[in-house]
PDB file of all heavy atoms in Angstrom:
ATOM      1  N   GLU A   1      39.583  17.564   2.522  1.00 81.00           N
ATOM      2  CA  GLU A   1      40.563  17.243   3.475  1.00 81.00           C
ATOM      3  C   GLU A   1      39.887  16.754   4.787  1.00 81.00           C
ATOM      4  O   GLU A   1      40.398  15.765   5.429  1.00 81.00           O
ATOM      5  CB  GLU A   1      41.449  18.461   3.878  1.00 81.00           C
ATOM      6  CG  GLU A   1      42.193  19.095   2.764  1.00 81.00           C
ATOM      7  CD  GLU A   1      41.351  20.196   2.072  1.00 81.00           C
ATOM      8  OE1 GLU A   1      40.631  20.926   2.623  1.00 81.00           O
ATOM      9  OE2 GLU A   1      41.497  20.124   0.809  1.00 81.00           O
ATOM     10  N   ASN A   2      38.802  17.291   5.222  1.00 80.00           N
ATOM     11  CA  ASN A   2      38.207  16.865   6.536  1.00 80.00           C
ATOM     12  C   ASN A   2      37.182  15.834   6.499  1.00 80.00           C
ATOM     13  O   ASN A   2      36.577  15.638   7.423  1.00 80.00           O
ATOM     14  CB  ASN A   2      37.715  18.190   7.252  1.00 80.00           C
ATOM     15  CG  ASN A   2      38.787  19.133   7.574  1.00 80.00           C
ATOM     16  OD1 ASN A   2      39.959  18.828   7.806  1.00 80.00           O
ATOM     17  ND2 ASN A   2      38.536  20.423   7.339  1.00 80.00           N
ATOM     18  N   MET A   3      37.050  15.305   5.338  1.00 81.00           N
ATOM     19  CA  MET A   3      35.931  14.279   5.124  1.00 81.00           C
ATOM     20  C   MET A   3      36.481  12.898   5.576  1.00 81.00           C
ATOM     21  O   MET A   3      37.655  12.493   5.232  1.00 81.00           O
ATOM     22  CB  MET A   3      35.459  14.279   3.706  1.00 81.00           C
ATOM     23  CG  MET A   3      34.184  13.355   3.573  1.00 81.00           C
ATOM     24  SD  MET A   3      33.587  13.480   1.862  1.00 81.00           S
ATOM     25  CE  MET A   3      34.560  12.364   0.952  1.00 81.00           C
ATOM     26  N   LYS A   4      35.614  12.157   6.349  1.00 81.00           N
ATOM     27  CA  LYS A   4      35.952  10.818   6.766  1.00 81.00           C
ATOM     28  C   LYS A   4      35.924   9.960   5.598  1.00 81.00           C
ATOM     29  O   LYS A   4      35.001  10.020   4.716  1.00 81.00           O
ATOM     30  CB  LYS A   4      35.001  10.351   7.905  1.00 81.00           C
ATOM     31  CG  LYS A   4      35.182  11.169   9.152  1.00 81.00           C
ATOM     32  CD  LYS A   4      34.169  10.716  10.158  1.00 81.00           C
ATOM     33  CE  LYS A   4      34.404  11.557  11.345  1.00 81.00           C
ATOM     34  NZ  LYS A   4      33.468  11.349  12.462  1.00 81.00           N
ATOM     35  N   PRO A   5      36.865   9.011   5.383  1.00 80.00           N
ATOM     36  CA  PRO A   5      36.963   8.117   4.174  1.00 80.00           C
ATOM     37  C   PRO A   5      35.679   7.201   3.943  1.00 80.00           C
ATOM     38  O   PRO A   5      35.353   7.046   2.829  1.00 80.00           O
ATOM     39  CB  PRO A   5      38.065   7.269   4.453  1.00 80.00           C
ATOM     40  CG  PRO A   5      38.955   7.957   5.509  1.00 80.00           C
ATOM     41  CD  PRO A   5      38.032   8.865   6.351  1.00 80.00           C
ATOM     42  N   TRP A   6      35.000   6.822   5.018  1.00 80.00           N
ATOM     43  CA  TRP A   6      33.868   6.064   4.778  1.00 80.00           C
ATOM     44  C   TRP A   6      32.596   6.717   4.249  1.00 80.00           C
ATOM     45  O   TRP A   6      31.755   6.137   3.752  1.00 80.00           O
ATOM     46  CB  TRP A   6      33.452   5.285   6.062  1.00 80.00           C
ATOM     47  CG  TRP A   6      33.186   6.047   7.338  1.00 80.00           C
ATOM     48  CD1 TRP A   6      34.110   6.535   8.154  1.00 80.00           C
ATOM     49  CD2 TRP A   6      31.880   6.348   7.928  1.00 80.00           C
ATOM     50  NE1 TRP A   6      33.386   7.334   9.216  1.00 80.00           N
ATOM     51  CE2 TRP A   6      32.066   7.092   9.017  1.00 80.00           C
ATOM     52  CE3 TRP A   6      30.555   6.120   7.482  1.00 80.00           C
ATOM     53  CZ2 TRP A   6      31.052   7.667   9.745  1.00 80.00           C
ATOM     54  CZ3 TRP A   6      29.567   6.583   8.201  1.00 80.00           C
ATOM     55  CH2 TRP A   6      29.807   7.373   9.364  1.00 80.00           C
ATOM     56  N   TYR A   7      32.653   8.063   4.193  1.00 82.00           N
ATOM     57  CA  TYR A   7      31.665   8.805   3.582  1.00 82.00           C
ATOM     58  C   TYR A   7      31.711   8.626   2.008  1.00 82.00           C
ATOM     59  O   TYR A   7      30.682   8.848   1.334  1.00 82.00           O
ATOM     60  CB  TYR A   7      31.655  10.235   3.894  1.00 82.00           C
ATOM     61  CG  TYR A   7      31.332  10.679   5.242  1.00 82.00           C
ATOM     62  CD1 TYR A   7      31.882  11.690   5.927  1.00 82.00           C
ATOM     63  CD2 TYR A   7      30.306   9.961   6.012  1.00 82.00           C
ATOM     64  CE1 TYR A   7      31.638  12.029   7.202  1.00 82.00           C
ATOM     65  CE2 TYR A   7      29.988  10.182   7.358  1.00 82.00           C
ATOM     66  CZ  TYR A   7      30.642  11.295   7.845  1.00 82.00           C
ATOM     67  OH  TYR A   7      30.228  11.619   9.253  1.00 82.00           O
ATOM     68  N   TRP A   8      32.764   8.207   1.418  1.00 82.00           N
ATOM     69  CA  TRP A   8      32.977   7.878   0.091  1.00 82.00           C
ATOM     70  C   TRP A   8      32.030   6.785  -0.468  1.00 82.00           C
ATOM     71  O   TRP A   8      31.801   6.731  -1.585  1.00 82.00           O
ATOM     72  CB  TRP A   8      34.387   7.594  -0.307  1.00 82.00           C
ATOM     73  CG  TRP A   8      35.331   8.830  -0.226  1.00 82.00           C
ATOM     74  CD1 TRP A   8      35.857   9.391   0.880  1.00 82.00           C
ATOM     75  CD2 TRP A   8      35.681   9.617  -1.306  1.00 82.00           C
ATOM     76  NE1 TRP A   8      36.582  10.422   0.543  1.00 82.00           N
ATOM     77  CE2 TRP A   8      36.520  10.648  -0.819  1.00 82.00           C
ATOM     78  CE3 TRP A   8      35.504   9.588  -2.680  1.00 82.00           C
ATOM     79  CZ2 TRP A   8      37.122  11.614  -1.595  1.00 82.00           C
ATOM     80  CZ3 TRP A   8      35.983  10.532  -3.429  1.00 82.00           C
ATOM     81  CH2 TRP A   8      36.858  11.513  -3.008  1.00 82.00           C
ATOM     82  N   PHE A   9      31.542   5.991   0.456  1.00 86.00           N
ATOM     83  CA  PHE A   9      30.564   4.925   0.080  1.00 86.00           C
ATOM     84  C   PHE A   9      29.331   5.411  -0.417  1.00 86.00           C
ATOM     85  O   PHE A   9      28.436   4.719  -0.925  1.00 86.00           O
ATOM     86  CB  PHE A   9      30.402   3.894   1.250  1.00 86.00           C
ATOM     87  CG  PHE A   9      31.577   3.100   1.573  1.00 86.00           C
ATOM     88  CD1 PHE A   9      32.396   3.287   2.687  1.00 86.00           C
ATOM     89  CD2 PHE A   9      32.004   2.148   0.662  1.00 86.00           C
ATOM     90  CE1 PHE A   9      33.452   2.566   3.006  1.00 86.00           C
ATOM     91  CE2 PHE A   9      33.149   1.327   0.974  1.00 86.00           C
ATOM     92  CZ  PHE A   9      33.842   1.497   2.070  1.00 86.00           C
ATOM     93  N   SER A  10      29.071   6.674  -0.256  1.00 85.00           N
ATOM     94  CA  SER A  10      27.803   7.321  -0.682  1.00 85.00           C
ATOM     95  C   SER A  10      27.539   7.002  -2.214  1.00 85.00           C
ATOM     96  O   SER A  10      26.347   6.775  -2.446  1.00 85.00           O
ATOM     97  CB  SER A  10      27.826   8.841  -0.362  1.00 85.00           C
ATOM     98  OG  SER A  10      26.658   9.461  -0.932  1.00 85.00           O
ATOM     99  N   GLY A  11      28.480   7.041  -2.949  1.00 84.00           N
ATOM    100  CA  GLY A  11      28.290   6.797  -4.531  1.00 84.00           C
ATOM    101  C   GLY A  11      27.783   5.345  -4.658  1.00 84.00           C
ATOM    102  O   GLY A  11      26.916   5.093  -5.527  1.00 84.00           O
ATOM    103  N   GLY A  12      28.367   4.379  -3.942  1.00 88.00           N
ATOM    104  CA  GLY A  12      27.857   3.017  -3.990  1.00 88.00           C
ATOM    105  C   GLY A  12      26.468   2.830  -3.532  1.00 88.00           C
ATOM    106  O   GLY A  12      25.707   2.109  -4.093  1.00 88.00           O
ATOM    107  N   ILE A  13      26.138   3.670  -2.438  1.00 90.00           N
ATOM    108  CA  ILE A  13      24.770   3.582  -1.951  1.00 90.00           C
ATOM    109  C   ILE A  13      23.856   4.154  -3.034  1.00 90.00           C
ATOM    110  O   ILE A  13      22.739   3.595  -3.219  1.00 90.00           O
ATOM    111  CB  ILE A  13      24.733   4.379  -0.675  1.00 90.00           C
ATOM    112  CG1 ILE A  13      25.447   3.728   0.443  1.00 90.00           C
ATOM    113  CG2 ILE A  13      23.285   4.626  -0.274  1.00 90.00           C
ATOM    114  CD1 ILE A  13      25.654   4.526   1.718  1.00 90.00           C
ATOM    115  N   GLY A  14      24.204   5.141  -3.744  1.00 88.00           N
ATOM    116  CA  GLY A  14      23.470   5.719  -4.780  1.00 88.00           C
ATOM    117  C   GLY A  14      23.084   4.712  -5.859  1.00 88.00           C
ATOM    118  O   GLY A  14      21.914   4.657  -6.342  1.00 88.00           O
ATOM    119  N   VAL A  15      24.022   3.856  -6.194  1.00 91.00           N
ATOM    120  CA  VAL A  15      23.752   2.643  -7.196  1.00 91.00           C
ATOM    121  C   VAL A  15      22.659   1.945  -6.587  1.00 91.00           C
ATOM    122  O   VAL A  15      21.759   1.483  -7.258  1.00 91.00           O
ATOM    123  CB  VAL A  15      25.043   1.936  -7.478  1.00 91.00           C
ATOM    124  CG1 VAL A  15      24.619   0.671  -8.221  1.00 91.00           C
ATOM    125  CG2 VAL A  15      26.154   2.776  -8.110  1.00 91.00           C
ATOM    126  N   GLY A  16      22.744   1.540  -5.305  1.00 91.00           N
ATOM    127  CA  GLY A  16      21.730   0.692  -4.748  1.00 91.00           C
ATOM    128  C   GLY A  16      20.386   1.334  -4.690  1.00 91.00           C
ATOM    129  O   GLY A  16      19.283   0.784  -4.958  1.00 91.00           O
ATOM    130  N   VAL A  17      20.345   2.637  -4.487  1.00 90.00           N
ATOM    131  CA  VAL A  17      19.129   3.415  -4.417  1.00 90.00           C
ATOM    132  C   VAL A  17      18.411   3.408  -6.021  1.00 90.00           C
ATOM    133  O   VAL A  17      17.244   3.045  -6.035  1.00 90.00           O
ATOM    134  CB  VAL A  17      19.344   4.835  -4.087  1.00 90.00           C
ATOM    135  CG1 VAL A  17      18.062   5.754  -4.402  1.00 90.00           C
ATOM    136  CG2 VAL A  17      19.721   4.991  -2.542  1.00 90.00           C
ATOM    137  N   VAL A  18      19.201   3.737  -6.878  1.00 89.00           N
ATOM    138  CA  VAL A  18      18.682   3.819  -8.300  1.00 89.00           C
ATOM    139  C   VAL A  18      18.099   2.310  -8.614  1.00 89.00           C
ATOM    140  O   VAL A  18      17.015   2.133  -9.224  1.00 89.00           O
ATOM    141  CB  VAL A  18      19.566   4.387  -9.279  1.00 89.00           C
ATOM    142  CG1 VAL A  18      19.036   4.272 -10.699  1.00 89.00           C
ATOM    143  CG2 VAL A  18      19.830   5.912  -8.876  1.00 89.00           C
ATOM    144  N   ILE A  19      18.988   1.306  -8.491  1.00 90.00           N
ATOM    145  CA  ILE A  19      18.578   0.077  -9.015  1.00 90.00           C
ATOM    146  C   ILE A  19      17.390  -0.480  -8.295  1.00 90.00           C
ATOM    147  O   ILE A  19      16.438  -1.061  -8.864  1.00 90.00           O
ATOM    148  CB  ILE A  19      19.886  -0.973  -9.018  1.00 90.00           C
ATOM    149  CG1 ILE A  19      19.434  -2.264  -9.838  1.00 90.00           C
ATOM    150  CG2 ILE A  19      20.137  -1.378  -7.595  1.00 90.00           C
ATOM    151  CD1 ILE A  19      19.561  -2.000 -11.269  1.00 90.00           C
ATOM    152  N   CYS A  20      17.317  -0.389  -6.910  1.00 91.00           N
ATOM    153  CA  CYS A  20      16.210  -0.869  -6.135  1.00 91.00           C
ATOM    154  C   CYS A  20      14.890  -0.073  -6.416  1.00 91.00           C
ATOM    155  O   CYS A  20      13.886  -0.655  -6.631  1.00 91.00           O
ATOM    156  CB  CYS A  20      16.593  -0.725  -4.691  1.00 91.00           C
ATOM    157  SG  CYS A  20      17.773  -1.928  -4.043  1.00 91.00           S
ATOM    158  N   LEU A  21      15.066   1.229  -6.604  1.00 88.00           N
ATOM    159  CA  LEU A  21      13.836   2.018  -7.059  1.00 88.00           C
ATOM    160  C   LEU A  21      13.389   1.637  -8.421  1.00 88.00           C
ATOM    161  O   LEU A  21      12.165   1.511  -8.721  1.00 88.00           O
ATOM    162  CB  LEU A  21      14.196   3.371  -7.003  1.00 88.00           C
ATOM    163  CG  LEU A  21      13.807   4.101  -5.637  1.00 88.00           C
ATOM    164  CD1 LEU A  21      14.416   5.505  -5.541  1.00 88.00           C
ATOM    165  CD2 LEU A  21      12.366   4.112  -5.408  1.00 88.00           C
ATOM    166  N   THR A  22      14.272   1.507  -9.280  1.00 88.00           N
ATOM    167  CA  THR A  22      13.910   1.134 -10.717  1.00 88.00           C
ATOM    168  C   THR A  22      13.053  -0.228 -10.675  1.00 88.00           C
ATOM    169  O   THR A  22      12.091  -0.399 -11.351  1.00 88.00           O
ATOM    170  CB  THR A  22      15.081   1.061 -11.674  1.00 88.00           C
ATOM    171  OG1 THR A  22      15.769   2.342 -11.591  1.00 88.00           O
ATOM    172  CG2 THR A  22      14.666   0.765 -13.062  1.00 88.00           C
ATOM    173  N   LEU A  23      13.731  -1.235 -10.023  1.00 89.00           N
ATOM    174  CA  LEU A  23      13.066  -2.507  -9.977  1.00 89.00           C
ATOM    175  C   LEU A  23      11.730  -2.524  -9.162  1.00 89.00           C
ATOM    176  O   LEU A  23      10.738  -3.047  -9.585  1.00 89.00           O
ATOM    177  CB  LEU A  23      14.035  -3.585  -9.442  1.00 89.00           C
ATOM    178  CG  LEU A  23      15.243  -3.799 -10.275  1.00 89.00           C
ATOM    179  CD1 LEU A  23      16.116  -4.744  -9.575  1.00 89.00           C
ATOM    180  CD2 LEU A  23      14.796  -4.414 -11.652  1.00 89.00           C
ATOM    181  N   GLY A  24      11.746  -1.817  -8.044  1.00 89.00           N
ATOM    182  CA  GLY A  24      10.594  -1.676  -7.195  1.00 89.00           C
ATOM    183  C   GLY A  24       9.384  -0.954  -7.939  1.00 89.00           C
ATOM    184  O   GLY A  24       8.279  -1.345  -7.864  1.00 89.00           O
ATOM    185  N   LEU A  25       9.662   0.110  -8.728  1.00 86.00           N
ATOM    186  CA  LEU A  25       8.684   0.809  -9.455  1.00 86.00           C
ATOM    187  C   LEU A  25       8.033  -0.154 -10.438  1.00 86.00           C
ATOM    188  O   LEU A  25       6.777  -0.019 -10.755  1.00 86.00           O
ATOM    189  CB  LEU A  25       9.253   2.078 -10.192  1.00 86.00           C
ATOM    190  CG  LEU A  25       9.498   3.254  -9.302  1.00 86.00           C
ATOM    191  CD1 LEU A  25      10.378   4.218 -10.048  1.00 86.00           C
ATOM    192  CD2 LEU A  25       8.210   3.877  -8.845  1.00 86.00           C
ATOM    193  N   ARG A  26       8.885  -0.898 -11.153  1.00 86.00           N
ATOM    194  CA  ARG A  26       8.388  -1.810 -12.105  1.00 86.00           C
ATOM    195  C   ARG A  26       7.431  -2.921 -11.458  1.00 86.00           C
ATOM    196  O   ARG A  26       6.452  -3.256 -12.053  1.00 86.00           O
ATOM    197  CB  ARG A  26       9.455  -2.526 -12.847  1.00 86.00           C
ATOM    198  CG  ARG A  26       9.053  -3.335 -14.011  1.00 86.00           C
ATOM    199  CD  ARG A  26      10.089  -4.054 -14.890  1.00 86.00           C
ATOM    200  NE  ARG A  26      11.277  -3.441 -14.919  1.00 86.00           N
ATOM    201  CZ  ARG A  26      12.400  -4.065 -15.103  1.00 86.00           C
ATOM    202  NH1 ARG A  26      12.355  -5.492 -15.152  1.00 86.00           N
ATOM    203  NH2 ARG A  26      13.625  -3.442 -15.157  1.00 86.00           N
ATOM    204  N   LEU A  27       7.758  -3.438 -10.329  1.00 89.00           N
ATOM    205  CA  LEU A  27       6.992  -4.388  -9.634  1.00 89.00           C
ATOM    206  C   LEU A  27       5.773  -3.930  -8.955  1.00 89.00           C
ATOM    207  O   LEU A  27       4.680  -4.579  -8.833  1.00 89.00           O
ATOM    208  CB  LEU A  27       7.856  -5.181  -8.686  1.00 89.00           C
ATOM    209  CG  LEU A  27       8.917  -6.078  -9.258  1.00 89.00           C
ATOM    210  CD1 LEU A  27       9.838  -6.572  -8.163  1.00 89.00           C
ATOM    211  CD2 LEU A  27       8.223  -7.254 -10.018  1.00 89.00           C
ATOM    212  N   LEU A  28       5.884  -2.682  -8.317  1.00 87.00           N
ATOM    213  CA  LEU A  28       4.816  -2.208  -7.486  1.00 87.00           C
ATOM    214  C   LEU A  28       4.009  -1.006  -8.111  1.00 87.00           C
ATOM    215  O   LEU A  28       2.894  -0.693  -7.675  1.00 87.00           O
ATOM    216  CB  LEU A  28       5.350  -1.841  -6.097  1.00 87.00           C
ATOM    217  CG  LEU A  28       6.145  -2.893  -5.385  1.00 87.00           C
ATOM    218  CD1 LEU A  28       6.761  -2.202  -4.112  1.00 87.00           C
ATOM    219  CD2 LEU A  28       5.121  -3.940  -4.919  1.00 87.00           C
ATOM    220  N   GLY A  29       4.548  -0.334  -9.058  1.00 84.00           N
ATOM    221  CA  GLY A  29       4.016   0.909  -9.508  1.00 84.00           C
ATOM    222  C   GLY A  29       4.541   2.084  -8.657  1.00 84.00           C
ATOM    223  O   GLY A  29       5.030   1.967  -7.537  1.00 84.00           O
ATOM    224  N   PRO A  30       4.520   3.198  -9.306  1.00 81.00           N
ATOM    225  CA  PRO A  30       5.117   4.463  -8.740  1.00 81.00           C
ATOM    226  C   PRO A  30       4.643   4.787  -7.281  1.00 81.00           C
ATOM    227  O   PRO A  30       5.421   5.023  -6.387  1.00 81.00           O
ATOM    228  CB  PRO A  30       4.898   5.522  -9.667  1.00 81.00           C
ATOM    229  CG  PRO A  30       4.558   4.930 -10.998  1.00 81.00           C
ATOM    230  CD  PRO A  30       4.030   3.584 -10.634  1.00 81.00           C
ATOM    231  N   THR A  31       3.285   4.961  -7.131  1.00 80.00           N
ATOM    232  CA  THR A  31       2.828   5.500  -5.841  1.00 80.00           C
ATOM    233  C   THR A  31       3.056   4.519  -4.672  1.00 80.00           C
ATOM    234  O   THR A  31       3.572   4.849  -3.686  1.00 80.00           O
ATOM    235  CB  THR A  31       1.356   5.690  -5.970  1.00 80.00           C
ATOM    236  OG1 THR A  31       1.019   6.518  -7.094  1.00 80.00           O
ATOM    237  CG2 THR A  31       0.768   6.352  -4.749  1.00 80.00           C
ATOM    238  N   TYR A  32       2.863   3.203  -4.902  1.00 81.00           N
ATOM    239  CA  TYR A  32       3.006   2.228  -3.836  1.00 81.00           C
ATOM    240  C   TYR A  32       4.581   2.081  -3.510  1.00 81.00           C
ATOM    241  O   TYR A  32       4.988   2.136  -2.367  1.00 81.00           O
ATOM    242  CB  TYR A  32       2.411   0.826  -4.244  1.00 81.00           C
ATOM    243  CG  TYR A  32       2.386  -0.054  -3.203  1.00 81.00           C
ATOM    244  CD1 TYR A  32       1.980   0.194  -1.895  1.00 81.00           C
ATOM    245  CD2 TYR A  32       2.739  -1.456  -3.426  1.00 81.00           C
ATOM    246  CE1 TYR A  32       1.980  -0.771  -0.937  1.00 81.00           C
ATOM    247  CE2 TYR A  32       2.765  -2.375  -2.401  1.00 81.00           C
ATOM    248  CZ  TYR A  32       2.346  -2.121  -1.100  1.00 81.00           C
ATOM    249  OH  TYR A  32       2.250  -3.020  -0.185  1.00 81.00           O
ATOM    250  N   ALA A  33       5.389   2.065  -4.482  1.00 84.00           N
ATOM    251  CA  ALA A  33       6.806   1.895  -4.315  1.00 84.00           C
ATOM    252  C   ALA A  33       7.319   3.102  -3.620  1.00 84.00           C
ATOM    253  O   ALA A  33       8.159   3.006  -2.649  1.00 84.00           O
ATOM    254  CB  ALA A  33       7.548   1.672  -5.655  1.00 84.00           C
ATOM    255  N   ILE A  34       6.952   4.351  -4.033  1.00 83.00           N
ATOM    256  CA  ILE A  34       7.523   5.531  -3.340  1.00 83.00           C
ATOM    257  C   ILE A  34       7.014   5.585  -1.903  1.00 83.00           C
ATOM    258  O   ILE A  34       7.720   6.127  -1.101  1.00 83.00           O
ATOM    259  CB  ILE A  34       7.191   6.739  -4.243  1.00 83.00           C
ATOM    260  CG1 ILE A  34       7.788   6.815  -5.531  1.00 83.00           C
ATOM    261  CG2 ILE A  34       7.555   8.118  -3.452  1.00 83.00           C
ATOM    262  CD1 ILE A  34       9.311   6.716  -5.510  1.00 83.00           C
ATOM    263  N   SER A  35       5.743   5.249  -1.642  1.00 82.00           N
ATOM    264  CA  SER A  35       5.196   5.231  -0.388  1.00 82.00           C
ATOM    265  C   SER A  35       6.081   4.380   0.596  1.00 82.00           C
ATOM    266  O   SER A  35       6.351   4.747   1.735  1.00 82.00           O
ATOM    267  CB  SER A  35       3.721   4.677  -0.333  1.00 82.00           C
ATOM    268  OG  SER A  35       2.939   5.547  -1.177  1.00 82.00           O
ATOM    269  N   ILE A  36       6.434   3.230   0.173  1.00 85.00           N
ATOM    270  CA  ILE A  36       7.282   2.346   0.835  1.00 85.00           C
ATOM    271  C   ILE A  36       8.626   2.924   1.123  1.00 85.00           C
ATOM    272  O   ILE A  36       9.218   2.833   2.224  1.00 85.00           O
ATOM    273  CB  ILE A  36       7.345   0.957   0.244  1.00 85.00           C
ATOM    274  CG1 ILE A  36       5.966   0.302   0.355  1.00 85.00           C
ATOM    275  CG2 ILE A  36       8.349   0.045   0.961  1.00 85.00           C
ATOM    276  CD1 ILE A  36       5.838  -0.962  -0.424  1.00 85.00           C
ATOM    277  N   VAL A  37       9.170   3.609   0.033  1.00 86.00           N
ATOM    278  CA  VAL A  37      10.444   4.220   0.194  1.00 86.00           C
ATOM    279  C   VAL A  37      10.430   5.285   1.257  1.00 86.00           C
ATOM    280  O   VAL A  37      11.338   5.375   2.046  1.00 86.00           O
ATOM    281  CB  VAL A  37      10.972   4.818  -1.189  1.00 86.00           C
ATOM    282  CG1 VAL A  37      12.069   5.790  -0.983  1.00 86.00           C
ATOM    283  CG2 VAL A  37      11.285   3.698  -2.130  1.00 86.00           C
ATOM    284  N   LEU A  38       9.362   6.098   1.271  1.00 84.00           N
ATOM    285  CA  LEU A  38       9.213   7.097   2.309  1.00 84.00           C
ATOM    286  C   LEU A  38       9.178   6.605   3.727  1.00 84.00           C
ATOM    287  O   LEU A  38       9.687   7.079   4.621  1.00 84.00           O
ATOM    288  CB  LEU A  38       7.978   7.953   1.910  1.00 84.00           C
ATOM    289  CG  LEU A  38       8.066   8.853   0.677  1.00 84.00           C
ATOM    290  CD1 LEU A  38       6.734   9.447   0.529  1.00 84.00           C
ATOM    291  CD2 LEU A  38       9.076   9.812   0.755  1.00 84.00           C
ATOM    292  N   ILE A  39       8.401   5.469   3.843  1.00 85.00           N
ATOM    293  CA  ILE A  39       8.397   4.806   5.193  1.00 85.00           C
ATOM    294  C   ILE A  39       9.753   4.315   5.606  1.00 85.00           C
ATOM    295  O   ILE A  39      10.128   4.612   6.762  1.00 85.00           O
ATOM    296  CB  ILE A  39       7.406   3.538   5.166  1.00 85.00           C
ATOM    297  CG1 ILE A  39       5.945   4.001   5.027  1.00 85.00           C
ATOM    298  CG2 ILE A  39       7.541   2.749   6.361  1.00 85.00           C
ATOM    299  CD1 ILE A  39       5.028   2.851   4.766  1.00 85.00           C
TER     300      ILE A  39
END
């Protein structure tokens, strides 16, 4: 009830996270890609 409607976009952001990480890992390798994600 008390949640702001724009917080619902979190699921769509999750799609962006997974697709970008999947492609980034393939192009850069796990350590380098995750390092950039952390930055």
Side-chain angles (χ1 to χ4, degrees):
E1 302 86 38
N2 298 324
M3 190 172 81
K4 294 180 182 175
W6 57 280
Y7 290 147
W8 286 80
F9 289 108
S10 175
I13 292 170
V15 171
V17 169
V18 173
I19 194 74
C20 289
L21 269 171
T22 302
L23 295 172
L25 283 168
R26 190 181 325 151
L27 290 170
L28 301 173
T31 306
Y32 190 44
I34 296 302
S35 298
I36 292 171
V37 168
L38 292 175
I39 290 172

